[in-house]
Amino acid sequence: MVLASDTLWLALVIFIARVFDVSLGTLRHALIIRQKRLLAFCIAFLESMIWVFAVSKVLNDLSDPLTAFSFALGFATGTFVGMTLENVLKIGDQVVKVFTLQGEAVAAALRNAGFRVTEFSGKGRDGVVVLLFVQVRRREVRTVLKESRMLDPNCYLVVEDIRWREHAIV
């Protein structure tokens, strides 16, 4: 009975290690895309140390299907947890493009709320359309969407990830 208990504990440790290392890997990818090099470096080191520990435990006894199962289940769970964490942390910047017939009012309201707004004029199917570009932190996107929709319920919104550039024209 002690052997079964030891195997269960080992499987649990492998599962938890994999959840951590894969979650860190998901965050690392998000940081790489957003040019956060030092933080990505530190996370990569920690992630690989955990992975080496977990894989060594599985390879120690390849005849035990429970440890292999917990390794795979930890990978899948870590993917889910990492995606959830990245969504909660909202790392990086995005641009919100607002296509609106009420450009001046929407732009003024967004500026009054503290957002930087760039305006473009264009022609759409129904006539003159104003395109607003608003660069925001990911955690501020909902505010821009809500503010825009409040003034123009029919506006068309597009949200895109952007990479920060050191010498950007503002």
Side-chain angles (χ1 to χ4, degrees), residues 114-160:
F115 297 107
R116 297 183 331 194
V117 181
T118 303
E119 298 177 56
F120 298 94
S121 184
K123 289 185 180 179
R125 180 189 68 193
D126 299 327
V128 176
V129 175
V130 176
L131 170 59
L132 308 175
F133 274 53
V134 188
Q135 180 182 339
V136 296
R137 293 234 171 264
R138 281 185 58 200
R139 36 183 89 77
E140 299 172 319
V141 167
R142 286 208 187 281
T143 304
V144 172
L145 299 179
K146 195 163 72 171
E147 192 80 28
S148 300
R149 285 264 189 234
M150 194 168 59
L151 291 167
D152 183 1
N154 297 315
C155 68
Y156 179 75
L157 301 159
V158 177
V159 179
E160 295 178 352

Side-chain angles (χ1 to χ4, degrees), residues 65-82:
L66 185 59
T67 56
F69 178 81
S70 64
F71 188 87
L73 185 61
F75 180 85
T77 305
T79 301
F80 181 82
V81 169

